[in-house]
Amino acid sequence: MLLQAEMAGTDSGTTTAEGVPQIVATEDVLGGDPRIEGTRIGVSHVYRRYVDGDDTPEEIAAGYNISVAAVHAALAYAFGNPRRMRAIEARRRAAYEEADRLTAEDA
């Protein structure tokens, strides 16, 4: 589903008229989390590098081999949907904590 401005649609590999990749979510890729269309790069991946890693959009684009426009689309989605981003981060954190707990039990 296309998520740019929460519009309904399909993951058809299209871009906007300006050539900016859309933000999409499909259940079979990244567990349904929003991502840059045509990639497995999640909005949360881009957002974390920008916020936590202090990377510039240009550095993020180079690191993922995507356009700077795609980075900006992901960041616009992230900043425009803070509740969804917090939910994704909470799921990620819970998964890491569970993995740590299971690893500690095996030791």
Side-chain angles (χ1 to χ4, degrees):
M1 135 181 36
L2 289 174
L3 296 175
Q4 196 77 8
E6 294 296 321
M7 295 182 290
T10 60
D11 184 10
S12 62
T14 61
T15 59
T16 65
E18 296 82 27
V20 177
Q22 294 292 303
I23 302 303
V24 298
T26 50
E27 288 302 315
D28 60 335
V29 180
L30 297 181
D33 287 346
R35 63 185 171 84
I36 298 169
E37 187 173 35
T39 75
R40 295 182 58 83
I41 301 167
V43 168
S44 63
H45 303 137
V46 173
Y47 177 77
R48 267 188 268 131
R49 282 193 58 183
Y50 183 75
V51 173
D52 297 339
D54 294 325
D55 288 343
T56 67
E58 292 79 11
E59 291 168 330
I60 296 168
Y64 285 126
N65 196 30
I66 58 176
S67 69
V68 174
V71 172
H72 283 285
L75 292 174
Y77 180 87
F79 286 113
N81 295 278
R83 276 191 233 149
R84 184 152 192 191
M85 299 311 296
R86 283 192 298 271
I88 292 167
E89 181 59 24
R91 273 197 328 272
R92 185 188 69 79
R93 193 176 314 115
Y96 279 120
E97 289 170 0
E98 179 66 8
D100 285 345
R101 186 185 67 76
L102 293 173
T103 301
E105 287 177 2
D106 290 341

